[in-house]
Amino acid sequence: MKTFSKLKSTVVYPWTVFRKKVPLGSFIVSRIVTMIVLLYLLGFALFGLMELAPGDIVDQMMSQQIMTEMSAGKTKQSVQDAKFSEEQEQKLREEFGIDKPFYVQYGAWLKRVVIHHDLGTSLISRAPVSFLISSRIWNSVLLNLISLVFITAFSFLLGVYFSSKAGTRTDIAATFFALFFHAFPGILLLILLQLFASLTGLFPVTAYPEFPFSEAPVKFTFSYMHHIFLPLLASFLGGIGGTMRMIRSTMLDQMGMPYIMALRARGISERRVYLNHAFKNTLNPYITGSANLLAGLFSGSLILEIIFAYPGIGRLMYEAVTQQDVNLVLANSMFVSALVLAGMVISDILLAVVDPRIRYGAN
């Protein structure tokens, strides 16, 4: 009883006061705590799933060595001699730390990250995981942010425009093409665009320049825009359909509201009704769905980066999973998940900014 009273006086009461005085701040703190718990559970689940996968990284190394020996034309006996002995395999597993149960491995990894701020080293390349991620993550962030900006801008422009043409042939045609590209398989669209680039030669079949930014910044910028045009087009066509239809339907719903009829009765121009009043209320559902859109872009960029050989985090994740590089897989997943969860928190904050009716935590 005393313990409960002490906990209530030291934690519950100050939190209640803080929540009443700063409701949005308390909401942000609670969401950050929730993010930390979700990331912890995600890491635990990932370690468990990697444990369920057949084989491990030592088996991968042994298979690669045998394939190398066979491709070099060695005899069957020499290939057999090249296999690791059981003692060597056990020694390698101890060296990599994969000889223990997955929850013990996860605890050791979590302790190293939290206390020493060290993501470990890649089990394959032996390079620091933080270096591998930092060299790829900004490529994926840049590509997905550009996609998000284009999808957002054109979705609002087309959604508002076609809502004013509801029921016309133009609106029906736009709805048809939006549904078509929304339902079209993304991987097939990427393959068709790469075949188009290969046959016509108008665009590169890879999505990244062959020289670094530091070598020629201006030339790199124009070359980068040329290389990512087709991947961006595929991402744009796959994302704009659903977003545009959502904004169009929200606009149509707002235009039927009583306050719109009152504004029209007061003689306010149709343009002001659309842009100054109805348009503002379309921001709420878009902001709510923007975090899911960003998460979809990140998950979809995995296929994009593999097909177009784009050096991003998705391709790095694919290589790490196929090689069962546990440290790299976990760090990649946690980093991308943290970005997506942070995007959800930001979207919730923006909702409170654009809509004065929303007050998190207020009674």
Side-chain angles (χ1 to χ4, degrees):
M1 198 67 183
K2 291 182 179 180
T3 305
F4 177 75
S5 301
K6 186 177 180 180
L7 179 66
K8 185 176 180 180
S9 61
T10 56
V11 178
V12 178
Y13 180 72
W15 171 254
T16 305
V17 174
F18 177 70
R19 186 180 180 185
K20 289 182 177 179
K21 290 185 176 180
V22 192
L24 183 58
S26 65
F27 170 78
I28 295 172
V29 171
S30 63
R31 287 301 297 268
I32 290 175
V33 173
T34 305
M35 282 174 54
I36 294 172
V37 174
L38 287 174
L39 287 174
Y40 171 80
L41 295 175
L42 174 67
F44 187 84
L46 281 173
F47 252 104
L49 290 173
M50 291 293 290
E51 181 75 14
L52 291 175
D56 54 30
I57 193 169
V58 176
D59 295 327
Q60 293 279 342
M61 294 173 64
M62 186 170 63
S63 299
Q64 289 177 3
Q65 183 172 358
I66 292 174
M67 292 297 294
T68 302
E69 294 288 336
M70 292 179 65
S71 61
K74 298 293 182 65
T75 62
K76 184 177 180 179
Q77 183 60 41
S78 61
V79 171
Q80 292 291 332
D81 294 339
K83 289 183 178 180
F84 296 146
S85 64
E86 291 185 5
E87 293 78 9
Q88 289 175 315
E89 291 183 24
Q90 184 62 28
K91 187 177 180 181
L92 282 173
R93 288 189 174 92
E94 291 176 0
E95 180 184 345
F96 292 145
I98 59 175
D99 59 322
K100 301 178 179 64
F102 77 94
Y103 49 86
V104 177
Q105 297 180 45
Y106 180 56
W109 182 88
L110 201 62
K111 181 180 178 181
R112 185 173 64 244
V113 171
V114 174
I115 297 179
H116 302 289
H117 307 291
D118 180 19
L119 295 176
T121 58
S122 169
L123 301 181
I124 294 293
S125 64
R126 310 305 293 170
V129 170
S130 56
F131 170 76
L132 294 174
I133 292 179
S134 62
S135 64
R136 298 285 193 96
I137 186 63
W138 298 117
N139 292 336
S140 293
V141 169
L142 178 62
L143 181 66
N144 287 298
L145 283 181
I146 294 174
S147 300
L148 185 63
V149 168
F150 275 101
I151 290 173
T152 300
F154 281 93
S155 294
F156 274 105
L157 288 173
L158 297 177
V160 172
Y161 174 75
F162 288 122
S163 67
S164 65
K165 305 290 183 181
T168 63
R169 293 181 179 179
T170 304
D171 177 56
I172 294 173
T175 303
F176 171 79
F177 283 107
L179 288 171
F180 176 80
F181 284 112
H182 185 65
F184 198 87
I187 185 171
L188 179 58
L189 180 60
L190 288 167
I191 293 173
L192 291 176
L193 288 176
Q194 192 178 58
L195 287 175
F196 170 78
S198 178
L199 293 174
T200 62
L202 297 175
F203 296 95
V205 293
T206 58
Y208 202 79
E210 297 178 354
F211 57 95
F213 176 81
S214 57
E215 183 177 311
V218 177
K219 183 181 178 182
F220 178 89
T221 302
F222 285 100
S223 179
Y224 181 79
M225 293 169 61
H226 186 214
H227 278 73
I228 67 169
F229 179 81
L230 289 182
L232 274 181
L233 179 63
S235 179
F236 174 79
L237 292 176
I240 192 173
T243 310
M244 186 197 75
R245 292 182 66 249
M246 181 267 292
I247 293 172
R248 173 186 171 277
S249 62
T250 306
M251 282 292 295
L252 289 175
D253 182 60
Q254 291 297 316
M255 295 307 293
M257 291 289 181
Y259 79 93
I260 296 294
M261 298 176 62
L263 291 171
R264 286 171 170 168
R266 291 168 56 188
I268 296 177
S269 66
E270 197 70 10
R271 181 177 180 182
R272 287 187 61 189
V273 170
Y274 260 85
L275 300 181
N276 292 6
H277 299 279
F279 175 73
K280 289 182 179 179
N281 291 326
T282 64
L283 294 176
N284 286 22
Y286 173 75
I287 292 174
T288 304
S290 60
N292 294 329
L293 177 60
L294 184 61
L297 288 174
F298 266 105
S299 60
S301 65
L302 168 65
I303 305 299
L304 185 152
E305 292 173 9
I306 293 173
I307 293 178
F308 278 90
Y310 186 81
I313 200 73
R315 189 179 173 194
L316 182 66
M317 171 71 80
Y318 171 75
E319 294 169 353
V321 169
T322 55
Q323 296 172 344
Q324 296 189 339
D325 195 335
V326 180
N327 289 344
L328 195 52
V329 170
L330 189 62
N332 270 339
S333 302
M334 300 286 269
F335 201 86
V336 174
S337 299
L339 286 177
V340 173
L341 290 172
M344 291 182 177
V345 174
I346 292 172
S347 68
D348 289 333
I349 296 171
L350 289 177
L351 274 178
V353 172
V354 302
D355 192 344
R357 297 171 298 176
I358 298 175
R359 287 295 177 265
Y360 295 108
N363 294 327

